[in-house]
């Protein structure tokens, strides 16, 4: 297998305000755009040619990655004029593929952080003679995902989208967002209209007797669709829990990029990342968080499991826990922001304006 399709067209609505100015795959994780980790892992697995299916803010991808030669890849870009869904996006880039009709094409979503053994998935596909092979993983609560039950040989028997009742939950195996398609199967997807592989393509293939094979791989897997998950994924990359050859430094408690400035007595733990040109003041404590380029964390601030956007500023003694601060926003001194709060881009919160506890 030498080529792949990477689906990077989503609007990332669950990640806003992180995705107001930046498409989801380009939000930095462990110091580089998340897409870098996916491209590097694909290259390490032997992929040479990748077609990126872009849509939302499509213009930012090519200026950053170019032709892919710096990563040892050949990259091409295809932009959807209107969103086409997962299946429609795959069909829309088919003309750029070079594989023969029976050769395998790897396809993966642009928002999944995974330790998937890519060569094992391809080997499963080839040895079973499948038309499509799917990476499956097991989760404790499958209600937010598509269930994929299989028989004793791993052959897929059904697709059950987001079950809610106990009777509907017949397996803990879910669609993990990476596939190997026989090249000719891609050409059977309808052209020029939105298509969901999960809700239309896969069920129709199953109904017509196609061979869909599942491979359960329960190594690291995380859907980065929410701010909390994205922050966790970045920290896990820095800590070495999630594998990637693209982390720009040694794995450990913290990652400080070369042009960042961190006060000697500041404490950074839990996979914290401080990006280019960011500044962390005296006595600040940051755990499991990402401080994006040009942001400032002033003296005495405490930042936990949070993301501070490009050029944002966190005031002295302010406490952030599970917060997302948009690009260019300012949070004044002595504020206290807790789990789930999202401060929009360029917003300004005055000193001492928001608290969950007494100011004494």
């Amino acid at each position: 297998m030498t080529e792949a399709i990477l689906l990077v067209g989503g609007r990332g609505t669950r990640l806003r305000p992180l995705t107001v100015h930046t498409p989801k795959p380009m939000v930095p994780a462990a110091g580089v755009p998340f897409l870098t980790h996916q491209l590097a892992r694909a290259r390490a697995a032997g992929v040479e040619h990748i077609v990126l299916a872009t849509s939302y803010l499509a213009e930012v991808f090519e200026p950053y990655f170019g032709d892919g030669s710096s990563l040892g890849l050949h990259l091409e870009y295809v932009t959807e004029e209107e969103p086409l869904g997962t299946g429609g996006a795959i069909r829309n880039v088919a003309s750029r593929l070079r594989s023969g009709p029976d050769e395998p094409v790897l396809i993966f979503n642009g928002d999944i952080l995974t330790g998937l053994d890519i060569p094992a998935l391809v080997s499963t596909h080839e040895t079973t003679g499948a038309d499509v092979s799917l990476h499956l993983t097991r989760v404790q609560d499958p209600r937010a995902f598509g269930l994929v039950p299989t028989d004793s040989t791993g052959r897929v028997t059904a697709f059950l989208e987001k079950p809610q009742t106990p009777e509907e939950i017949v397996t803990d195996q879910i669609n993990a967002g990476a596939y190997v398609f026989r090249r000719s199967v891609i050409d059977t997807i309808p052209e020029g209209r939105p298509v969901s592989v999960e809700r239309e393509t896969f069920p129709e293939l199953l109904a017509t007797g196609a061979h869909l094979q599942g491979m359960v791989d329960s190594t690291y897997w995380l859907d980065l669709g929410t701010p909390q998950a994205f922050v966790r994924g970045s920290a896990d990359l820095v800590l070495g829990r999630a594998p990637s050859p693209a982390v720009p430094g040694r794995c450990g408690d913290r990652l400080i990029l070369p042009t960042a400035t961190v006060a000697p007595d500041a404490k950074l733990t839990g996979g914290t990342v401080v990006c280019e040109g960011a500044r962390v003041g005296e006595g600040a404590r940051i755990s499991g968080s990402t401080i994006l380029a040009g942001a400032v964390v002033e003296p005495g601030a405490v930042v936990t499991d949070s993301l501070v956007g490009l050029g944002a500023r966190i005031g002295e003694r302010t406490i952030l826990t599970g917060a997302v601060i948009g690009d260019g926003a300012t949070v004044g001194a002595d504020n206290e922001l807790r789990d789930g709060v999202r401060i929009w881009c360029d917003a300004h919160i005055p000193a001492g304006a928001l608290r969950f506890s007494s100011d004494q």
Side-chain angles (χ1 to χ4, degrees), residues 95-338:
S95 63
R96 302 294 184 93
L97 298 174
R98 305 165 181 170
S99 301
D102 291 326
E103 291 183 316
V105 178
L106 176 68
I107 299 171
F108 49 113
N109 289 334
D111 56 0
I112 301 295
L113 178 59
T114 176
L116 168 67
D117 185 339
I118 296 172
L121 181 62
V122 177
S123 176
T124 295
H125 178 79
E126 293 178 333
T127 57
T128 61
D131 295 299
V132 179
S133 298
L134 298 88
H135 171 209
L136 308 180
T137 193
R138 294 189 170 98
V139 296
Q140 286 189 333
D141 184 359
R143 288 175 296 177
F145 303 100
L147 302 191
V148 186
T150 54
D151 66 17
S152 59
T153 69
R155 189 159 179 162
V156 174
T157 58
F159 289 91
L160 308 171
E161 276 299 309
K162 298 183 179 179
Q164 297 303 309
T165 66
E167 294 76 21
E168 292 176 305
I169 301 174
V170 297
T171 180
D172 61 355
Q173 296 175 177
I174 68 163
N175 177 358
Y179 320 111
V180 179
F181 272 64
R182 187 191 302 271
R183 169 68 183 85
S184 58
V185 174
I186 293 174
D187 292 330
T188 68
I189 299 173
E191 194 171 7
R193 68 169 177 84
V195 179
S196 165
V197 290
E198 301 85 355
R199 292 178 173 83
E200 183 175 343
T201 304
F202 292 156
E204 287 183 359
L205 285 170
L206 208 57
T208 57
H211 181 174
L212 278 68
Q213 186 74 20
M215 187 193 83
V216 177
D217 182 321
S218 295
T219 53
Y220 185 99
W221 184 87
L222 185 63
D223 178 349
L224 301 185
T226 66
Q228 292 74 22
F230 201 96
V231 170
R232 177 183 154 200
S234 177
D236 284 348
L237 283 162
V238 174
L239 291 166
R241 294 172 181 166
S244 171
V247 176
R250 295 176 60 184
C251 291
D253 246 8
R254 63 186 195 173
L255 174 63
I256 303 171
L257 296 191
T259 58
T261 304
V262 177
D265 65 344
K267 187 175 182 181
L268 310 182
T269 59
T272 287
V273 183
V274 184
C275 292
E276 298 91 343
R279 292 188 287 121
V280 177
E282 295 81 0
R285 289 182 289 138
I286 307 177
S287 176
S289 299
T290 296
I291 313 301
L292 292 186
V296 176
V297 178
E298 294 186 354
V302 179
V303 181
T304 306
D305 299 335
S306 298
L307 189 144
V308 178
L310 296 166
R313 178 176 290 267
I314 308 304
E316 295 184 11
R317 299 174 301 280
T318 280
I319 298 172
L320 305 180
T321 304
V324 176
I325 311 301
D327 298 346
T330 299
V331 180
D334 300 307
N335 281 291
E336 186 180 351
L337 307 181
R338 290 195 176 176

